[in-house]
Each structure stands twice: as C-alpha cells, then as structure tokens.
Amino acid sequence: MNFPKGIILIGIMLILLVNTSGCAKNVALKKTFWDKQSAKVGIALEDFPKAGAHKAGSQGVLDMAVSSGMDAGLRKYLEKTDLSKFLTVKKKFAALMHKGGLEPKIIDEFVDAKALPMVKNEQNGKSSPDYRFLAEKYDVDYILLLKINAVGTLRQYYGFIPLGSPQGYCVAGGLMAQNNTNEVFWAYTMDANKSVVKIEGKWNNPPDYPELDAAIQQSISNAVSEMEKSFQ
C-alpha cells in the first residue's frame, strides 16, 4: 500500500521529535570560528545507542505492544548492528579543521554528555549543559560532540498494521561549544527526509537480513556525509 510522501514525512518528524528532545536547535556554523587560527578543537562522540526497530504513525499502547511482539525477531537481530562506520565522522571533521587552519584533537573515548552539569541562569546563544567541563578536561579551546540519535529501521504503522516495509534509518546530530564562554558555535540535527534509506529487494530475509543491513549501513554513511556538509 502506497501513502503520500507528506504523510510519511510527518510520521518521521514525530519520531525525530521524540528522539532528539533536549537537543539544541540548529545553529549554523559561526564564521568567526575560523578566525582563531591554531585553536585546538576536541572532537568526540557520545556512546552509540542500540539499533532498534523504530515506529512512526498512529499507534496506541496496545498497538505498540502487538507490533513489538510481531517484530521481536527483527529487534533481536538489530541489536547486533555494526555501527562502527559512524566512527569515520571524527576523521571527516578533523580534516575540515586542518583545512581551516585549526588544530583538531580526536578524542578516542566516548563521552557521556548526560553526566555534564547544567548551567544556571542560561543565557541566549549558550548551551544548557556545561561543555566547558569537557573542553577543560581535554585541554582544547572548543569541544565538538557528535552523536547518533537513533539508528536501525523505521516503519510506518496505522494501529498495529504496518503501512509498508521498514527502511534503513539513522539520525545524527552534534554541537560545538567554546571553552571559556560555553557559547554554541554550531548545532545540527539531521532533517527527517535525509534519515531513511529504502531497502532494495526483500527486506524480511532472516537470519542475516542482508538487504536490510545494507540499507542501514547506507543510512549511517549518509548521516556522516550530512554532518560534514552541515559544518561548511
């Protein structure tokens, strides 16, 4: 059954609002960032979420329980999804820093952004979480924190009835803040229509789901590219 693209995008937008709640609004890269030549920029990732079978559309609690039971095998498989392809985003951003005359510092360990202290009396243009803690910890002038918000598959539902096949799905985002001010110099979360990849061929092909996995891996690659483009 085919549904208008607008309806599908509305469903995706609802999922994105849930998965990106608490994130900063998109902030275009401030051009003054490139003025401070040789500034040190720490580039880090938040820990990966588990890949899952995400749902969009009109579903009640009972509907969600029924549909979750129906895709139990898929959800178990998705938990093993290899997300290492997203690690390349750090090198992509490091190359941008080098090109702009800045000094990138790739941080190998994952960062727990949820553990950051919150700023009291937050000012306009500055982050609520206090990223100065990370910048000071890693001895950098800016901290650039990148993340996968949600990954796996996305499928439209009406009640517990699927309206089509699942799609590969990866939503990524990031934020960069200055050390001494906590000012946000860049923030980005992917658009809904750039987060999904259609599965080519038969998707329900256990136990290895090769067509489905290929779509997920492509969605991760797309996310890396979209993040890089948003910084230019």
Side-chain angles (χ1 to χ4, degrees), residues 2-217:
N2 293 322
F3 285 79
K5 184 177 180 182
I7 294 177
I8 293 175
L9 287 182
I10 289 172
I12 296 174
M13 285 297 293
L14 292 174
I15 286 290
L16 290 181
L17 286 173
V18 171
N19 284 309
T20 60
S21 60
C23 294
K25 296 180 180 178
N26 285 1
V27 176
L29 178 65
K30 296 184 178 182
K31 301 306 179 183
T32 54
F33 170 67
W34 303 111
D35 294 342
K36 191 176 180 182
Q37 295 294 293
S38 300
K40 292 184 291 184
V41 184
I43 305 172
L45 293 179
E46 289 191 42
D47 202 357
F48 294 147
K50 285 186 178 181
H54 301 278
K55 299 174 173 60
S58 177
Q59 281 196 301
V61 175
L62 181 59
D63 297 321
M64 293 182 67
V66 172
S67 60
S68 292
M70 293 170 64
D71 62 19
L74 173 61
R75 288 188 289 111
K76 186 174 181 179
Y77 170 78
L78 289 172
E79 289 178 357
K80 301 181 291 184
T81 301
D82 181 8
L83 304 179
S84 61
K85 186 173 288 187
F86 192 74
L87 295 172
T88 61
V89 74
K90 291 195 287 188
K91 291 185 178 179
K92 297 281 188 180
F93 274 83
L96 291 175
M97 303 304 170
H98 272 303
K99 184 178 179 181
L102 282 74
E103 181 183 340
K105 180 179 181 180
I106 291 180
I107 298 167
D108 293 327
E109 62 184 347
F110 286 107
V111 169
D112 183 4
K114 293 180 181 178
L116 292 174
M118 301 299 287
V119 176
K120 295 181 180 179
N121 301 319
E122 176 193 354
Q123 298 179 30
N124 188 36
K126 298 186 179 181
S127 170
S128 297
D130 196 343
Y131 288 92
R132 290 174 294 187
F133 171 81
L134 294 176
E136 291 169 3
K137 177 180 179 179
Y138 297 110
D139 188 27
V140 293
D141 300 299
Y142 298 87
I143 189 73
L144 173 63
L145 193 55
L146 308 168
K147 67 182 292 187
I148 293 177
N149 291 322
V151 64
T153 60
L154 181 67
R155 196 175 194 183
Q156 300 290 322
Y157 283 84
Y158 181 77
F160 61 85
I161 302 172
L163 300 183
S165 300
Q167 299 180 82
Y169 177 57
C170 184
V171 183
L175 183 144
M176 183 174 67
Q178 189 178 39
N179 180 2
N180 59 348
T181 65
N182 206 44
E183 181 180 356
V184 176
F185 269 67
W186 170 83
Y188 178 73
T189 299
M190 286 176 60
D191 290 337
N193 61 350
K194 297 178 180 178
S195 65
V196 292
V197 172
K198 183 179 179 180
I199 296 172
E200 298 295 335
K202 180 182 177 182
W203 76 266
N204 194 6
N205 195 9
D208 298 326
Y209 296 92
E211 295 84 1
L212 180 145
D213 189 62
I216 294 173
Q217 293 301 318

